[in-house]
């Protein structure tokens, strides 16, 4: 019929049809839910939730952070002058605040390691408080979307993830995600509880993959499960006398896959919600963010995560693994010492947070873990029964036997590395008795015991 009309009428009719089609298309778009597809959704811009969102995005996945209020970390500006290890996102946050404050107040440049990652603070003309500073960091992170003043309207579990409905500016928006992180402060505030996704006990706890009790905190070496080998975060409690190291398995609920719970109330049995200070909550969030990224990145569940890979991610982003108070974070031996401690080869005084770097190393104290890690070490102990303390020479012979390398080659290498690479203040001497710091650095370099995999209970996997 259209072909029978004169040409000018056909043109007018065609234009009208196109306009009607466009109007119908716009109407359909307005009534349909906007949809966002991401890897990870974090509920709660608490200290732990904000850090988790930042770290997950930096670890290579797409993240949405949802906060029902208008603020990160609550309405009140947080107290930042607390006992803390100066590392990871916590350090970055403090440095960014200092940079902004100093730029405006004193107009001089600071030599801050993280400044290259925070270009928006270099020319800032507004004095920011700590909350605003952290929000600036959040908004600067690639692959991280932040929805504040946003309510969660529903959560539905799907075969390959989750569907979350949120209300933004009066409009319902749908988010599809592979993994959820609950970082709300209290169980009563949790969207997982509200929408029947996860069960909480009467005191607001979840049933985690591992049980982390006060006994595990105070006397970890006396427990059946060696959770200290799985620690991914560390920090202080209410004051400088309380220290904690947090095993990764407590973030993972037993009853559901593709969920993490890092609220300061829900994950730890026997502890109150306020036992962790702000810096420790940031450390926990940073570690959980790495774990949250692990599942989508490797297309698996967090329950299948490689603990050592996750710990490596924390190390790579300058996070805190163990609460070591007598070795500086700036010491080149700091990372090797942490790695040796999570292998269990040397022990940390968890009650005081002390490593005792200058004490000598007895062959007997390392014998049980050596035998567990390296069967060939048993031969060395047969030939070295009377050694009261490890010397450079006896340590070289131990490395030689386990690694099947020539003693002369190891000796030459170690002589070259002693001051140049390791930064030891002492002189290389075969008869020198090794202290704990020197032993940790050398064994970490040559035998790498921390690379032996462990399960979530800290048992070695072969």
């Amino acid at each position: 019929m259209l072909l029978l009309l004169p040409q000018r009428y056909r043109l007018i009719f065609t234009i009208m049809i196109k306009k009607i089609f466009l109007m119908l298309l716009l109407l359909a778009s307005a009534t349909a839910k906007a949809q966002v597809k991401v890897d990870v959704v974090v509920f709660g811009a608490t200290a732990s939730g904000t850090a988790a969102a930042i770290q997950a995005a930096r670890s290579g996945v797409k993240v949405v952070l949802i906060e029902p209020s208008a603020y990160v970390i609550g309405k009140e500006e947080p107290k930042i002058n607390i006992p803390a290890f100066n590392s990871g996102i916590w350090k970055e946050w403090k440095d960014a605040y200092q940079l902004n404050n100093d730029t405006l107040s004193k107009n001089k440049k600071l030599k801050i390691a993280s400044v290259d990652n925070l270009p928006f603070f270099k020319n800032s003309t507004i004095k920011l408080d700590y909350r605003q500073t952290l929000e600036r960091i959040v908004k600067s992170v690639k692959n991280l979307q932040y929805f504040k003043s946003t309510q969660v309207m529903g959560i539905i579990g799907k075969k390959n993830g989750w569907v979350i409905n949120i209300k933004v500016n009066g409009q319902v928006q749908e988010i599809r995600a592979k993994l959820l992180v609950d970082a709300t402060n209290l169980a009563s505030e949790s969207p997982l509880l509200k929408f029947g996704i996860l069960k909480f006990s009467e005191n607001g706890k979840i049933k985690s993959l591992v049980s982390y009790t006060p006994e595990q905190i105070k006397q970890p070496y006396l427990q059946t499960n060696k959770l200290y080998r799985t620690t991914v975060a560390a920090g202080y409690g209410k004051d400088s006398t309380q220290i904690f190291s947090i095993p990764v398995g407590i973030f993972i609920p037993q009853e559901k896959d593709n969920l993490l719970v890092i609220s300061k109330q829900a994950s730890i049995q026997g502890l109150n919600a306020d036992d962790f200070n702000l810096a420790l909550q940031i450390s926990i969030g940073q570690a959980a963010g790495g774990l949250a990224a692990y599942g989508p990145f490797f297309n698996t569940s967090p329950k299948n995560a490689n603990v050592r890979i996750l710990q490596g991610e924390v190390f790579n982003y300058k996070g805190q693994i163990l609460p070591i108070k007598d070795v500086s974070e700036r010491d080149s031996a700091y990372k090797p010492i942490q790695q040796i401690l999570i292998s269990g080869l040397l022990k940390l005084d968890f009650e005081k947070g002390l490593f005792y770097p200058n004490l000598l190393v007895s062959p007997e104290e390392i014998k049980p873990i050596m035998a567990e890690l390296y069967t060939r070490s048993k031969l060395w102990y047969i030939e070295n029964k009377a050694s009261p303390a490890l010397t450079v020479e006896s340590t070289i012979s131990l490395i030689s036997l386990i690694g099947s390398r020539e003693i002369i080659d190891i000796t030459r290498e170690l002589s070259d590395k002693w001051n140049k690479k390791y930064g030891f203040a002492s002189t290389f001497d075969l008869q020198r008795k090794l202290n704990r710091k020197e032993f940790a650095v050398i064994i970490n370099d040559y035998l790498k015991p921390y690379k032996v995999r462990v399960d979530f209970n800290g048992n070695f996997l072969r």
Side-chain angles (χ1 to χ4, degrees):
M1 293 294 292
L2 185 61
L3 295 175
L4 297 178
L5 296 173
Q7 183 175 355
R8 66 191 185 98
Y9 290 112
R10 291 203 306 267
L11 181 60
I12 293 171
F13 189 80
T14 302
I15 293 172
M16 289 177 63
I17 292 295
K18 287 182 177 179
K19 286 184 177 180
I20 292 171
F21 178 76
L22 182 59
M23 289 176 64
L24 291 172
L25 185 62
L26 290 173
L27 182 62
S29 299
T31 56
K33 291 180 183 178
Q35 188 179 97
V36 177
K37 288 186 178 181
V38 296
D39 298 297
V40 175
V41 167
V42 180
F43 298 123
T46 56
S48 58
T50 304
I54 292 171
Q55 184 57 57
R58 288 176 175 171
S59 293
V61 298
K62 293 181 179 180
V63 183
V64 164
L65 173 62
I66 300 172
E67 169 57 38
S69 76
Y71 309 93
V72 294
I73 317 187
K75 294 181 180 181
E76 301 294 329
E77 185 175 5
K79 294 180 180 178
I80 215 82
N81 186 23
I82 55 176
F85 294 100
N86 200 30
S87 57
I89 292 174
W90 171 258
K91 181 180 187 302
E92 177 184 345
W93 180 19
K94 292 201 306 178
D95 284 353
Y97 174 81
Q98 185 182 5
L99 175 63
N100 172 258
N101 186 63
D102 186 84
T103 300
L104 294 174
S105 302
K106 301 177 183 178
N107 194 27
K108 71 176 184 179
K109 292 184 178 180
L110 296 178
K111 294 181 179 179
I112 294 176
S114 58
V115 69
D116 292 336
N117 298 322
L118 304 170
F120 47 87
F121 285 104
K122 290 182 179 179
N123 301 312
S124 178
T125 58
I126 303 172
K127 189 171 183 179
L128 307 174
D129 66 22
Y130 282 111
R131 290 174 307 145
Q132 293 167 330
T133 302
L134 187 58
E135 186 170 329
R136 283 279 189 100
I137 295 174
V138 168
K139 291 179 177 179
S140 75
V141 176
K142 185 180 179 181
N143 292 326
L144 172 55
Q145 297 181 67
Y146 175 39
F147 292 95
K148 60 182 178 180
S149 301
T150 300
Q151 300 299 317
V152 178
M153 308 304 293
I155 304 173
I156 302 173
K158 296 292 185 180
K159 183 178 180 181
N160 295 318
W162 306 91
V163 176
I164 305 98
N165 289 322
I166 60 175
K167 183 173 281 188
V168 183
N169 298 323
Q171 299 292 320
V172 176
Q173 185 166 331
E174 182 179 282
I175 302 175
R176 291 183 175 266
K178 297 175 183 177
L179 185 139
L180 304 181
V181 180
D182 180 11
T184 50
N185 272 328
L186 303 172
S188 58
E189 301 169 351
S190 171
L192 302 183
L193 177 66
K194 180 179 179 180
F195 297 106
I197 303 300
L198 200 61
K199 295 178 182 178
F200 292 79
S201 68
E202 290 182 1
N203 58 350
K205 306 293 184 183
I206 64 166
K207 192 172 183 180
S208 302
L209 209 58
V210 300
S211 178
Y212 189 48
T213 62
E215 289 73 27
Q216 281 282 2
I217 295 169
K218 295 177 181 178
Q219 297 180 313
Y221 297 110
L222 300 181
Q223 312 306 313
T224 302
N225 293 330
K226 307 304 179 185
L227 297 185
Y228 67 87
R229 293 177 186 158
T230 72
T231 183
V232 288
Y236 292 85
K238 297 175 183 177
D239 55 43
S240 60
T241 65
Q242 296 174 300
I243 55 172
F244 299 95
S245 59
I246 310 299
V248 63
I250 68 168
F251 306 146
I252 305 173
Q254 284 189 18
E255 62 181 281
K256 293 279 187 178
D257 273 337
N258 299 316
L259 279 181
L260 299 178
V261 178
I262 57 171
S263 76
K264 59 183 181 179
Q265 179 191 42
S267 299
I268 312 291
Q269 301 294 326
L271 294 178
N272 296 319
D274 295 325
D275 281 332
F276 298 161
N277 74 11
L278 188 67
L280 178 53
Q281 293 167 41
I282 291 285
S283 182
I284 287 172
Q286 182 169 358
L291 179 60
Y294 187 101
F297 192 88
F298 290 101
N299 195 29
T300 186
S301 165
K303 291 179 181 178
N304 299 321
N306 183 322
V307 174
R308 292 296 187 234
I309 290 178
L310 176 59
Q311 288 170 327
E313 188 76 348
V314 176
F315 281 128
N316 290 339
Y317 284 91
K318 312 299 181 184
Q320 190 73 23
I321 290 282
L322 287 167
I324 307 171
K325 297 168 69 173
D326 57 349
V327 180
S328 170
E329 295 100 330
R330 297 184 297 275
D331 194 316
S332 61
Y334 193 69
K335 180 179 175 180
I337 288 171
Q338 288 192 85
Q339 291 176 329
I340 285 295
L341 289 171
I342 60 175
S343 75
L345 198 53
L346 292 178
K347 292 182 178 179
L348 177 70
D349 184 340
F350 276 94
E351 187 174 351
K352 299 178 180 178
L354 300 178
F355 173 67
Y356 306 109
N358 295 318
L359 292 183
L360 300 182
V361 180
S362 161
E364 288 303 311
E365 70 177 290
I366 66 169
K367 184 177 180 179
I369 304 300
M370 270 290 179
E372 199 172 350
L373 290 171
Y374 313 107
T375 305
R376 288 172 62 87
S377 68
K378 296 176 182 178
L379 299 175
W380 184 88
Y381 276 94
I382 293 174
E383 299 174 0
N384 294 269
K385 292 180 179 180
S387 300
L390 286 171
T391 63
V392 174
E393 186 175 37
S394 61
T395 302
I396 289 174
S397 69
L398 178 61
I399 294 170
S400 171
L401 183 61
I402 293 172
S404 299
R405 290 193 57 192
E406 293 293 334
I407 287 179
I408 190 171
D409 292 335
I410 300 172
T411 303
R412 187 185 305 113
E413 285 180 2
L414 204 53
S415 176
D416 291 338
K417 293 177 179 179
W418 194 264
N419 301 117
K420 295 177 184 178
K421 180 179 178 179
Y422 298 151
F424 295 154
S426 58
T427 302
F428 179 79
D429 181 356
L430 289 176
Q431 303 309 311
R432 173 181 173 79
K433 295 178 180 179
L434 287 178
N435 62 36
R436 286 163 60 86
K437 174 181 173 178
E438 293 163 344
F439 175 81
V441 171
I442 294 168
I443 293 300
N444 190 69
D445 187 18
Y446 279 90
L447 297 183
K448 296 178 172 54
Y450 77 94
K451 284 195 171 182
V452 178
R453 287 187 60 185
V454 295
D455 63 20
F456 285 105
N457 286 312
N459 301 310
F460 290 122
L461 298 173
R462 292 294 188 176

